């Protein structure tokens, strides 16, 4: 903020951010010093109440369990924060705040809060709250909706100067999304639709603290004649929210480290795998000598071999002449991984030729903080508002309308009978017919698919089923039991889209995963090679 604080003040710009993280009051205090140094007068508000660390003993005593896997409350809790909503932000703006700093809140609240303040939307106007939440969801990852990580990346110009999104919102909940003139990037139906399906579950029940959103009938239309592109978005619907906040706690679960080593030359894949196996064998022998137990988990990948694709690996008659060793290990004792890190150097002189170095030098040992999720009644959370360091108000959640149960499970959406679709002689890669985008929530990944043309949509629905996607990613999904489906499919007919939720598919997810793709960012790209067979000549039909 410091380089721009005078312009922000001069133009009357109001700033809302969750940059405070676990200490928003300290963040605001630091910002206050910036304001004073610039000899300005700005009201800096802070929203607190998300930090529930003082309640950890109570949660343990009452036997709180993880909402996803039922595991018991952890011993070594490091942080515990509720995902707050937009109403406190709107209230802080009502009180005249120029800057609002929050602790943990849902990303979309940073947009919904200002809209509640600007338009006076009431707490029970759920369609409007859903529309504002959709606006926030679309821009919460910055340039991801203006061409970043777009399926058709080759069509997106000037990545070096990519423009961030600009929203122009109306009081009826509709809005346009564009980007500043003379910036790189692209705003189109495809770029914005991809962001709509990013990191969501059931699009009919996207649960947020202020509203349960139904995005299934949202429509996105391109607006012509605007430099860089623009779209008009509408159609979000809303239901009352649950009576609980989702809480994310983290706990210490040992330590991890990752070794990344390029290997060059003939049979690089074999050389890389034998090198990794030899390092592990060497260190395990040393563990026994010094009385340390084995690694808790190990992940060896040879990047360049396409083993990430499992059974979908391209069949080759040759080995690539360059590959990368990805060797990640997890141990409960830090000194064990310090020993491992020390012994990596032996590969450079005593193992395969062509090892060009260790990326970043000897790997650093870092703590593994695993997430633990549960629900906590909103009425038991106290939200306080501060202004320039002084407490001004205690915000109370409104319970004058019926709330949904946050633990209510949503059944898989029924699928229409598509057996009567015409067949034909053609085959297509999914990329020819659809866009994709993938993301993560803990140990769950999602993959959204959007038809490039409405005529493609029924064929996508027929071919790309939950079973087909589960089979495609079976090597990455940890099954709970042989009879349980781990992939669920949901429809978004408004954008001719499908959303797939893949449970237990990220090796623990985030920092808890030892994989090279712990957040499923490449899953959508991998699915682009999915084959649709025995379909008509769809491209000719579209041209006609």
């Amino acid at each position: 903020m410091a380089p721009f604080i005078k312009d922000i003040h001069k133009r009357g710009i109001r700033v809302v951010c969750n940059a405070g993280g676990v200490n928003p009051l300290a963040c605001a205090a630091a910002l206050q010093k910036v304001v004073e140094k610039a000899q300005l007068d700005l009201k800096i508000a802070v929203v607190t109440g998300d930090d529930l660390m003082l309640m950890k003993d109570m949660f343990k005593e009452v036997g709180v369990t993880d909402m996803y896997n039922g595991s018991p409350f952890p011993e070594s809790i490091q942080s515990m924060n509720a995902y707050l909503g937009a109403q406190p932000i709107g209230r802080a703006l009502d009180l005249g705040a120029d800057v609002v700093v929050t602790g943990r809140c849902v990303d979309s609240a940073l947009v919904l809060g200002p809209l509640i303040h600007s338009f006076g939307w009431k707490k029970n106007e759920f369609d409007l709250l859903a529309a504002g939440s959709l606006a926030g969801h679309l821009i919460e990852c910055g340039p991801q909706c203006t061409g970043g990580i777009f399926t058709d990346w080759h069509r997106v110009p000037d990545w070096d100067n990519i423009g961030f999104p600009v929203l122009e919102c109306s009081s009826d909940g509709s809005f346009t999304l564009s980007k500043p003139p003379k910036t790189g990037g692209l705003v189109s139906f495809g770029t914005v639709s991809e962001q709509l399906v990013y990191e969501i579950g059931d699009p009919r029940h996207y649960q947020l603290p202020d509203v349960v959103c139904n995005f299934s009938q949202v429509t996105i239309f391109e607006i012509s004649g605007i430099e860089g592109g623009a779209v008009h978005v509408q159609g979000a619907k809303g239901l009352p929210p649950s009576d609980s906040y989702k809480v994310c706690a983290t706990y210490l679960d040992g330590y991890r480290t990752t070794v990344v080593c390029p290997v060059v030359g003939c049979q690089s894949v074999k050389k890389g795998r034998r090198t990794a196996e030899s390092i592990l064998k060497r260190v395990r022998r040393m563990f026994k000598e010094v009385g340390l137990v084995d690694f808790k988990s190990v992940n060896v990948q040879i990047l360049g071999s396409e083993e990430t694709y499992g059974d979908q690996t391209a069949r080759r008659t040759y080995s690539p002449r360059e590959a990368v060793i990805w060797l990640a290990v997890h141990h409960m004792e830090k000194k064990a991984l310090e020993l491992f890190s020390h012994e990596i150097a032996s590969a450079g002189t005593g193992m395969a030729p062509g090892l060009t170095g260790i990326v970043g030098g000897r790997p650093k040992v870092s703590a593994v903080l695993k997430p633990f999720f549960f629900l906590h009644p909103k009425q038991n959370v106290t939200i306080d508002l501060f202004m320039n360091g002084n407490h001004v108000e205690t915000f109370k959640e409104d319970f004058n309308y019926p709330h949904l149960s946050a633990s209510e499970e949503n059944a898989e959406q029924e699928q229409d009978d598509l057996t009567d679709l015409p067949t034909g002689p053609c085959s297509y890669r999914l990329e020819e017919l659809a866009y994709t985008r993938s993301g993560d929530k803990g140990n769950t990944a999602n993959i959204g698919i959007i038809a490039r043309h409405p005529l493609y949509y029924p064929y996508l629905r027929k071919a790309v089923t939950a079973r087909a996607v589960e089979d495609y990613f079976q090597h990455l999904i940890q099954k709970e039991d042989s009879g349980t489906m781990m992939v669920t499919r949901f429809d978004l007919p408004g954008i001719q889209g499908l959303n797939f939720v893949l449970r237990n598919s990220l090796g623990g997810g985030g920092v808890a995963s030892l994989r090279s793709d712990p957040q499923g960012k490449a899953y959508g790209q991998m699915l682009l090679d999915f084959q649709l067979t025995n379909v008509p000549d769809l491209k000719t039909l579209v041209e006609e």
Side-chain angles (χ1 to χ4, degrees):
M1 293 277 288
F4 310 104
I5 196 71
K6 291 186 177 180
D7 283 338
I8 287 170
H9 178 263
K10 181 179 179 181
R11 300 185 188 188
I13 295 170
R14 305 174 80 176
V15 179
V16 180
C17 64
N18 56 358
V22 296
N23 198 342
L25 289 170
C27 178
L31 183 58
Q32 185 64 47
K33 292 180 180 179
V34 171
V35 172
E36 291 172 356
K37 184 177 181 180
Q39 298 182 329
L40 300 175
D41 180 21
L42 290 175
K43 292 182 178 180
I44 303 172
V46 176
V47 178
T48 68
D50 62 297
D51 188 350
L52 304 181
M53 279 294 284
L54 293 178
M55 304 176 71
K56 64 178 182 179
D57 292 337
M58 184 270 290
F59 289 135
K60 182 174 179 59
E61 184 177 334
V62 299
V64 168
T65 58
D66 187 280
M67 62 187 291
Y68 295 118
N69 57 33
S71 59
F73 197 78
E75 293 289 342
S76 55
I77 288 288
Q78 303 295 306
S79 67
M80 187 161 46
N81 300 80
Y83 287 95
L84 302 184
Q87 298 290 347
I89 294 173
R91 180 58 182 158
L93 293 169
D94 291 344
L95 293 173
D98 299 298
V99 181
V100 182
V101 178
T102 77
R104 178 68 60 87
C105 70
V106 293
D107 291 343
S108 57
L110 301 180
V111 170
L112 179 57
L115 293 178
I116 290 171
H117 163 72
S118 297
F119 296 133
W121 289 346
K122 296 180 174 59
K123 295 178 181 180
N124 61 353
E125 293 183 309
F126 301 118
D127 287 350
L128 295 175
L129 298 180
S133 297
L134 173 60
H137 173 68
L138 290 178
I139 71 166
E140 68 188 34
C141 295
Q144 282 187 198
C145 69
T146 57
I149 63 174
F150 182 39
T151 299
D152 292 353
W153 53 271
H154 51 280
R155 294 182 50 224
V156 181
D158 303 328
W159 292 349
D160 60 296
N161 188 38
I162 194 165
F164 274 61
V166 175
L167 285 174
E168 296 176 74
C169 305
S170 301
S171 59
D172 65 359
S174 63
F175 57 90
T176 61
L177 193 158
S178 61
K179 64 182 184 66
K182 298 180 181 179
T183 60
L186 173 68
V187 177
S188 68
F189 168 81
T191 63
V192 179
S193 294
E194 282 194 17
Q195 187 60 24
L196 171 57
V197 298
Y198 183 60
E199 293 186 341
I200 66 171
D202 184 347
R204 301 161 304 163
H205 295 89
Y206 185 57
Q207 298 203 27
L208 295 170
D210 303 289
V211 61
V212 174
C213 304
N214 182 348
F215 295 157
S216 64
Q217 299 294 336
V218 167
T219 57
I220 300 172
F221 296 103
E222 293 185 2
I223 302 172
S224 60
I226 297 180
E227 177 193 340
V231 296
H232 181 78
V233 184
Q234 62 184 22
K237 298 293 182 182
L239 292 169
S242 81
D243 57 2
S244 298
Y245 287 120
K246 182 179 180 180
V247 180
C248 176
T250 63
Y251 65 96
L252 184 64
D253 186 43
Y255 300 87
R256 60 166 294 166
T257 190
T258 302
V259 180
V260 180
C261 301
V263 185
V264 179
C266 295
Q267 301 187 41
S268 62
V269 171
K270 290 183 178 179
K271 289 191 295 185
R273 183 160 297 282
R274 184 174 172 187
T275 297
E277 291 171 350
S278 297
I279 291 171
L280 291 172
K281 186 177 180 180
R282 179 189 186 97
V283 174
R284 280 173 168 144
R285 184 171 63 249
M286 299 177 76
F287 281 178
K288 289 182 179 180
E289 292 173 356
V290 297
L292 290 169
V293 299
D294 196 6
F295 297 106
K296 186 173 181 180
S297 57
V298 170
N299 182 48
V300 177
Q301 292 177 255
I302 308 302
L303 307 182
S305 70
E306 293 195 12
E307 65 181 38
T308 303
Y309 279 79
D311 291 342
Q312 316 304 326
T313 299
R315 305 305 175 194
R316 291 175 171 170
T317 58
Y318 65 95
S319 171
R321 292 182 294 177
E322 57 184 12
V324 175
I325 302 168
W326 179 280
L327 173 55
V329 292
H330 180 197
H331 201 285
M332 296 306 294
E333 294 192 56
K334 186 175 182 180
K335 63 180 180 180
L337 295 191
E338 290 172 341
L339 189 156
F340 169 84
S341 176
H342 182 81
E343 291 303 317
I344 294 302
S346 64
T349 56
M351 296 183 188
L355 194 76
T356 62
I358 302 169
V359 176
R362 284 178 176 160
K364 295 180 180 179
V365 178
S366 58
V368 174
L369 289 177
K370 284 190 174 180
F372 179 91
F373 296 102
F374 63 97
L375 301 174
H376 184 58
K378 290 178 178 177
Q379 62 186 10
N380 295 340
V381 175
T382 301
I383 300 173
D384 289 308
L385 302 181
F386 294 81
M387 193 77 72
N388 288 351
N390 299 312
H391 181 267
V392 293
E393 189 171 298
T394 296
F395 180 87
K396 287 295 184 182
E397 182 69 51
D398 188 355
F399 289 93
N400 292 326
Y401 49 81
H403 287 64
L404 297 182
S405 170
S407 60
E408 180 180 345
E409 293 187 1
N410 300 310
E412 182 172 357
Q413 184 166 331
E414 294 182 1
Q415 306 300 326
D416 299 334
D417 184 5
L418 299 171
T419 56
D420 293 335
L421 274 178
T423 59
C426 295
S427 298
Y428 293 98
R429 289 177 61 251
L430 181 63
E431 186 173 9
E432 299 178 82
L433 306 180
Y435 309 107
T436 66
R437 172 71 64 82
S438 56
D440 71 301
K441 291 290 184 187
N443 197 25
T444 294
N446 92 291
I447 306 174
I449 296 175
I450 304 101
R452 292 178 180 269
H453 191 278
L455 287 178
Y456 301 160
Y457 185 49
Y459 292 93
L460 295 175
R461 293 185 69 242
K462 181 178 181 179
V464 194
T465 63
R467 173 63 66 185
V469 171
E470 181 161 323
D471 290 345
Y472 197 89
F473 289 98
Q474 61 181 316
H475 60 295
L476 297 175
I477 296 174
Q478 183 179 358
K479 296 278 285 187
E480 293 175 348
D481 57 69
S482 59
T484 302
M485 281 287 292
M486 303 301 291
V487 176
T488 306
R489 189 182 88 176
F490 302 101
D491 284 6
L492 295 93
I495 58 169
Q496 296 87 50
L498 303 170
N499 188 50
F500 296 86
V501 177
L502 294 70
R503 293 185 291 122
N504 292 359
S505 60
L506 296 173
V511 296
S513 176
L514 300 182
R515 296 181 184 174
S516 60
D517 183 14
Q519 295 178 306
K521 302 302 184 185
Y523 284 18
Q525 293 294 296
M526 294 166 69
L527 193 59
L528 289 174
D529 287 322
F530 184 91
Q531 293 288 325
L532 288 82
T533 59
N534 300 320
V535 295
D537 186 349
L538 297 177
K539 293 191 175 181
T540 299
L541 288 175
V542 168
E543 292 173 359
E544 292 175 351

